[in-house]
Amino acid sequence: MKVAIIGAGPTGLLLGIGLARRGHQVVAVDRDAGPAADGTWARRGVMQFHHAHGFRPQIARVLQREAPAAWASWLVHGGEPIEMTLPDGTLSPAGVRSRRSTFEIALRAAALQQPGLRIRQGHVEQVDIDRGRASGIRVDGAELQADLVLDASGRASRATRNLRTGAHIGGPCGIAYVDRQYRLRDGVPTPPMDNPLAWQGEYDGYQVIVFLHERGTFSTLIVRNTSDRSLVPLRHNAAFDAAARAIPGLAAWTDPAVSRPLTEVLPGGPLLNLYRGQRSSDGDLALPGLIFVGDAVCTTTPNFGRGITTCYLQVGRLLELIDGHARAGDIVDRELVAIEFDAWCEHNMRPWVEDHRRMDDALTRRWDGQDIDLTDRLPSDLIMSAASQDASIRPAIVPYVTMQGLPSCLDEVEPRAKAVFRTGWRPPLSEGPGRAELADIVTRAAAA
Ligand SMILES: Cc1cc2nc3c(=O)[nH]c(=O)nc-3n(C[C@H](O)[C@H](O)[C@H](O)COP(=O)(O)OP(=O)(O)OC[C@H]3O[C@@H](n4cnc5c(N)ncnc54)[C@H](O)[C@@H]3O)c2cc1C
């Protein structure tokens, strides 16, 4: 079967490798030319490319199964698999420390070596239609024929926008952040972490996260409400440095004796919680022969690092369905694949978007000074916080945090968490300035 993939990001490349390994003829088209001769990669149009990424164990598992050469390439490029000790003393994979750029460079290097997969530079303008079915894609004015078109063009996903008119869930999440990459100095011990991938601090009106990557590199994030203009100056290096000095948990990482910056401050674009299925407004498939996948289906706020995991769970499922619906030769029942994939995403992806929407709505209200709303279902982050006060909540949290269960695995303990908050208890804040004080610090530093 001839397959055309719109987008050669993490989703498009893994799908391309997986399908080519099954004997299909695959072309993945991306407007990006790939890394420059000197190894640098600006990756315009994918704002998160240089931003913090945490990689969950599911990503490693799908790669090992569907693209073992890409997994090997990631390790060669520096990806560091990490393990954690479970309560019973056994070791379990906890993810991979890596910058997003390191991951994608390694994945692309493996994809370029994959027989049956071609990566072509070009802008996909539209999906071509013949007798009501996708017949290929139009790339810079030229037709590229295909039996199956996969839209892996990411969260902005414009080329097919007019086709997918069905209901969307979500939109901008109300949260924004700035990011800066550093490298630990040689011989300096790693500062304290909350889990094998990250350290996190909660403050009055904002949040700070550090993601540890490979070979001592790490990213620092200061997260705020989009509506909060007082922290906008953080996008200036001097203001970010002043904030980093003033927040003790962050200073432990960014003190010049501990690390040195690798980048300028990287302002983030709008963050989304967005779910879009495979359908048009009349309930039919948007277009037979076209399947949306990856961020083009499900995007969540990045603070829990779920994005590439949700993409790779989708890729794993889509490849299973393609295997399961193969007809004679290499032809696949594409409509059945799309319908079953849509049903699977409704059940397994949409709940994550709904979960993040609830959390982000509540978080932005708390950062605006409101108390926790105990009349509604508690958001998942607060249920997790309450586990510090009621140990019986803890077992339900493990499948949620590790994404081995869906967010509904917290439903059973939600009333217990609510009982904790009804006592008047609130999650303690980390030591550091509140939002007004931080705003003052960064405004003065930016003006100096
Ligand atoms: C700020 C931020 C931080 C994140 N942090 C994490 C994290 O910690 N952990 C995690 O797992 N996930 C994280 N994510 C999510 C993760 O980055 C995405 O899930 C992932 O990039 C989605 O991969 P994708 O291949 O589906 O889409 P993309 O990475 O967006 O790739 C889409 C590709 O399609 C191309 N394209 C689009 N339209 C066209 C067209 N018309 N013609 C040709 N090419 C086109 C683009 O150039 C791009 O290369 C984060 C996201 C953001 C925004």
Side-chain angles (χ1 to χ4, degrees):
M1 172 167 81
K2 283 187 187 160
V3 184
I5 304 179
I6 310 173
T11 303
L13 289 178
L14 178 60
L15 262 175
I17 294 172
L19 288 166
R21 289 180 79 225
R22 285 162 169 78
H24 300 291
Q25 298 166 51
V26 189
V27 181
V29 182
D30 204 296
R31 56 190 170 215
D32 196 293
D38 65 0
T40 57
W41 199 359
R43 202 84 173 93
R44 288 195 181 82
V46 181
M47 154 295 260
Q48 69 266 35
F49 184 71
H50 297 286
H51 284 237
H53 273 61
F55 293 86
R56 292 169 171 269
Q58 286 92 336
I59 298 169
R61 278 202 290 277
V62 178
L63 274 179
Q64 286 159 4
R65 191 175 70 231
E66 297 296 345
W71 170 248
S73 170
W74 196 9
L75 300 184
V76 168
H77 280 79
E80 295 171 5
I82 43 176
E83 294 183 316
M84 62 183 172
T85 310
L86 297 177
D88 65 4
T90 55
L91 282 176
S92 172
V96 181
R97 286 186 187 137
S98 174
R99 279 171 288 179
R100 157 77 182 246
S101 51
T102 304
F103 165 70
E104 214 175 315
I105 286 168
L107 179 62
R108 189 177 169 100
L112 286 167
Q113 298 298 316
Q114 175 62 51
L117 169 62
R118 188 157 64 93
I119 302 173
R120 172 172 162 183
Q121 190 192 356
H123 177 72
V124 179
E125 291 149 1
Q126 64 177 57
V127 176
D128 287 331
I129 303 175
D130 181 26
R131 280 165 283 168
R133 301 185 50 86
S135 59
I137 53 178
R138 193 146 300 259
V139 185
D140 297 322
E143 185 186 355
L144 177 72
Q145 282 188 346
D147 303 303
L148 173 65
V149 176
L150 298 171
D151 182 350
S153 63
R155 58 198 198 122
S157 196
R158 285 198 180 81
T160 53
R161 191 169 281 175
N162 58 331
L163 297 171
R164 194 165 40 159
T165 50
H168 299 167
I169 294 164
C173 69
I175 289 171
Y177 65 64
V178 291
D179 185 313
R180 195 172 193 187
Q181 266 182 29
Y182 295 77
R183 187 188 295 278
L184 290 171
R185 294 194 182 278
D186 288 345
V188 172
T190 306
M193 299 181 64
D194 294 321
N195 61 56
L197 286 172
W199 171 82
Q200 184 161 338
E202 305 294 335
Y203 302 86
D204 182 9
Y206 67 100
Q207 193 177 52
V208 178
I209 310 177
V210 175
F211 281 97
L212 183 59
H213 306 310
E214 84 280 10
R215 297 174 179 162
T217 55
F218 63 92
S219 297
T220 55
L221 310 178
I222 301 181
V223 192
R224 63 171 173 90
N225 275 354
T226 314
S227 58
D228 176 4
R229 308 307 297 165
S230 70
L231 295 181
V232 169
L234 278 167
R235 62 176 55 220
H236 302 292
N237 287 349
F240 192 91
D241 288 345
R245 280 193 299 274
I247 301 168
L250 188 51
W253 289 85
T254 56
D255 186 298
V258 173
S259 63
R260 63 180 175 83
L262 293 179
T263 64
E264 309 293 307
V265 178
L266 309 166
L271 301 175
L272 307 174
N273 286 313
L274 190 57
Y275 177 80
R276 293 164 293 176
Q278 307 288 331
R279 311 226 169 225
S280 60
S281 51
D282 58 11
D284 292 339
L285 289 176
L287 180 68
L290 166 68
I291 299 179
F292 304 89
V293 55
D295 262 24
V297 170
C298 168
T299 308
T300 51
T301 342
N303 48 1
F304 276 79
R306 298 195 202 278
I308 298 183
T309 298
T310 51
C311 291
Y312 277 21
L313 293 175
Q314 289 177 53
V315 171
R317 184 62 189 147
L318 188 53
L319 290 172
E320 274 172 12
L321 288 169
I322 287 174
D323 289 342
H325 291 297
R327 291 210 213 113
D330 66 354
I331 293 298
V332 169
D333 190 332
R334 288 146 287 174
E335 272 86 278
L336 216 46
V337 170
I339 289 165
E340 290 183 18
F341 184 59
D342 194 39
W344 183 88
C345 288
E346 275 286 315
H347 184 73
N348 293 284
M349 296 287 115
R350 181 176 160 154
W352 291 111
V353 173
E354 289 167 341
D355 186 59
H356 275 258
R357 288 187 74 199
R358 186 184 288 116
M359 278 197 283
D360 292 344
D361 287 350
L363 186 62
T364 51
R365 283 200 300 273
R366 295 206 298 284
W367 282 351
D368 275 341
Q370 295 181 34
D371 194 14
I372 294 167
D373 180 2
L374 294 176
T375 62
D376 203 355
R377 187 208 190 262
L378 281 176
S380 301
D381 54 340
L382 290 180
I383 299 176
M384 289 196 290
S385 303
S388 67
Q389 306 300 300
D390 178 349
S392 74
I393 296 173
R394 281 183 206 152
I397 287 176
V398 177
Y400 173 78
V401 173
T402 57
M403 292 181 77
Q404 281 160 350
L406 289 170
S408 56
C409 65
L410 293 176
D411 289 352
E412 196 188 331
V413 295
E414 192 267 352
R416 278 181 251 163
K418 211 171 251 171
V420 169
F421 286 105
R422 285 215 170 94
T423 65
W425 178 84
R426 296 292 178 266
L429 294 174
S430 311
E431 185 198 339
R435 183 176 59 183
E437 196 184 334
L438 187 67
D440 193 40
I441 291 167
V442 300
T443 306
R444 274 190 282 115

